[in-house]
Amino acid sequence: MTNENDPKRPGPRRDDRPQDQMDAAAVEMEAAGRGNMNQSELDELVASSDTGARTPAGWVGRTILIVAFLWSLFQIWIASPLPYMVDFAILNDTETRSIHLAFAMFLAYLAYPAERTKVQFILALAVPVVLTLLFIEGADSGQAWWIVLIGAAVLLAIVAGSPKSWVPPWEWAMALISVFAALYIYIFYDDIATRVGAPINQDMIVAVAGMLLLLEVTRRALGPALMIVATFFLAYTFLGPYMPEIIAHKGNSLSEVVNHQWITTEGVFGIALGVSTSFVFLFVLFGALLDKAGAGNYFIQVAFSLMGHMRGGPAKAAVVSSAMTGLISGSSIANVVTTGTFTIPLMKKVGFSSEKAGAVEVASSVNGQIMPPVMGAAAFLMVEYVGIPYFDVVKHAFLPAAISYIALVYIVHLEALKAGMQGLPRPYEPGPWMRRVVGFVFGVLVISALSFAVYYGMGWIRPAFPETAGYIIFALLCLAYLGLLWVGSREEPLEIDDPNSEVTELPLPGPTVRSGLHFLLPVVVLVWALMVDRLSPGLSAFWATAFMIFILLTQRPLMVMMRGEDRHHNRQIGTALRAGLNDLVDGMIAGARNMIGIGIATATAGIIVGAVSQTGVGSALADVVEVLSGGNLLAILFLTAILSLILGMGLPTTANYIVVSALLAPVIVTLGQQNGLIVPLIAVHLFVFYFGIMADVTPPVGLASFAAAAVSGGDPIKTGVVAFFYSLRTAALPFLFIFNTDLLLIDVGWLQGIFVFITATLAMLLFAAATQGWFLARNNIFDTVALLLIAFTIFRPGFWMDMVAPPWEDLPPAQVEQALEQAPVGEPFRLSISGLDALGEPVDFRVQLEVPEGETGQERLDALGLTLVQNGDEVIIDNVAFDSPAADAGLDWDQQINLVRAPADAPSKYLMFIPAFLLLALVVWMQRRRNSTPGTGAPATAATA
């Protein structure tokens, strides 16, 4: 995370020596200046989109910092077990959401000045005018005057302007009124509980003011797109009867809208804001503290020490360092600027053009948002929306993210091959390859042994010492911390190198890795709490953050003592303690300021989600999409991808995911059922999420591409276009895992999971080679088509095998009992159903059930919860048992079974790998042959890299 007060990436002990701090600042200024923007301009670019571009001098600036610090303290308090231990300030979910939004809106009004461009100004004036008229339409005469007054006040505040250097009185008024509106359901919680569904005048006035002020602050913090979309859905809520017939509804009164959107937890204070309050803030804060401790610089240096010697090494190191930084950062733009000021100049030094260097950084930084455990806050939203544990979300999302990053490293390698690039010089001569392989295997074995020892050791400590296990584990963790810190103290502190200076050699891998191993401990704590102990994401992030605070306060003085630097100056320890405390305060402020936009985005997206649930537009949208796509599932997916891209051009990732998943995820599942494809809900949510993040890359808006171009000095549009082609692998993955859910490790064991990972990675590398026009030599048309065909076959071998030997046997409905009896237990079993939907309209769909235990077909029908009645050739569902597999699948009484699809004996789909690998062997032979012929392929040296 980038901190607006101290944007430089700190290395271990950076503040121990003031001169080093000055040197680091000079290095980054020089690196940034190479792209025609100095570091302060880059910081302003990040601040304007992530943390707020306004930090006034004097008491106003201090107020912003103090409130941000208090917000972090509040979030730590509610996430901790302390309120329950001391029985004080115990808040429910609704109350914490209210306070969370109050902090976000107050800081947003003070930290984000309003844009004064002509388009922004017109939009800013139009929205309150339109909404005021709509609100008046549903209000009585007494309410109308108040609404007019509120709308006029907001308009006057917008017209008065918003300077960058100071906060005028009218903006203070907007900030304070927005705080009261956000805190309203907290202050009057008991009163509101007694009149649910019947808001009074006071409720309506506060809600109208709150919605108008929320939409205005959304424009300031996130741009006009989300404000416009939310305004459209609010207008749609009121104007339902005037809409086209296919999306028309009865319309809602002001009282209904106020109750739904502001007074209850169906709209603004809904699930999205709840996730931001409970989970996301702690993870963002954890990332800010980890970066403040020096982990960001450590990850970059480690990546360069391990990969800088390879062909195109700086670009490969940029990919790896961005992946590691993405673990702790939820912002594409901050990731680009944080790592890009160092990586982009070095990429240019080894031969990458300005646009390609920027594009590599963009593609790798944006992919940081698909990397668990944070995933740009989407992982926690998926927990709530999909209804599965956080562990399962991470499990399903990990494989596509890892494959995408591996493919990007390979794309960089192909670019290096095309240009005949070399890596940076190593500081040592590598030993024989056999010794390196043995060393690598030994390292893996040692890490595996340590992991097993920790796992089984924890399993023994807890039952052996049930009362004191927590203290023992903390003591062991501290011992590990002290040991790793001692190891790091034996090495020279990492410094920020100047990427524009002549590179003579890379840092040594061993000392570089050892210098910051203690940074991995908080990450281990987080992953252990999430994956092994299965704690809630909020509590897991709390313990990881608490340990991170402990590290921030202790690492500097302990380093001073371990290095013996206090012998000549007794004040060194005191200075180090103060520096650690300053880092903690700065990290707490940075975490809060990085959360402003996410808090506002989730609240405003709640308006959209609330409108969808209140109007029922989701089912209407399904009809629209079905008409546009002709019922073709692939066309539906393309429409969804395009809509995600369009919305993502103006919405932050989190808001884009909330909006598109609320609108289109159910549509894909429903229409998929009707078209014979059972699509798991997690696959659909990951699909829309992937295309949402692609908008940070795609011109003309792609903010990450503009940030990278600012560093590289390249053309931002060209940078975005190249980055889009580099990101095609990310765009292809969602389509693949919709049709082949093995990629998401759904119902896949360990051995099959390893097999899927290997084959899918190979397929994605071949896809990258096809799209980049280079494999072992430059591709011709045959090579490209063949590689795409091979990649598709490896990804989805069942597509071809189903044509040869269908995996399903279609049977008449009268044979359903017989087919169930003959089917193997645990195999999928599909039924084609016709009936009526919730609105009484005829609908055809398909369901998939798992064959249960049972000796006879009737026993298996009973286990599924189905009672059938046969009338000639017709089979009708007479009853569905409550909470049974059949009920969960959507079956209901009076539905008719039209077709039974029983699993058939078919050869393994993986037999299609044989012709695929034979065709690959032909491509390899042809390209090697061209390589051996001068002037027809790549230089021999490039082919053997």
Side-chain angles (χ1 to χ4, degrees), residues 330-332 365-371 374-376 653 689 693 696:
S331 167
S332 303
S365 294
V366 169
N367 263 31
Q369 293 196 67
I370 66 173
M371 199 71 183
V374 179
M375 295 170 60
T653 304
F689 173 60
I693 67 167
D696 273 347

Side-chain angles (χ1 to χ4, degrees), residues 461-484:
I461 288 173
R462 282 178 171 148
F465 307 96
E467 300 297 328
T468 58
Y471 300 104
I472 294 172
I473 291 170
F474 180 69
L476 292 174
L477 191 62
C478 288
L479 286 175
Y481 168 58
L482 290 172
L484 293 177

Side-chain angles (χ1 to χ4, degrees), residues 101-162:
L101 181 59
F103 272 115
M105 291 181 72
F106 180 80
L107 287 172
Y109 268 111
L110 297 190
Y112 286 90
E115 291 286 340
R116 293 293 295 178
T117 63
K118 185 179 294 185
V119 174
Q120 285 264 34
F121 186 68
I122 293 172
L123 291 173
L125 295 178
V127 166
V129 169
V130 170
L131 288 182
T132 299
L133 293 174
L134 290 172
F135 291 152
I136 290 173
E137 181 68 22
D140 61 35
S141 57
Q143 295 165 351
W145 283 109
W146 277 105
I147 293 171
V148 170
L149 185 63
I150 293 168
V154 173
L155 280 172
L156 287 174
I158 294 171
V159 171
S162 179

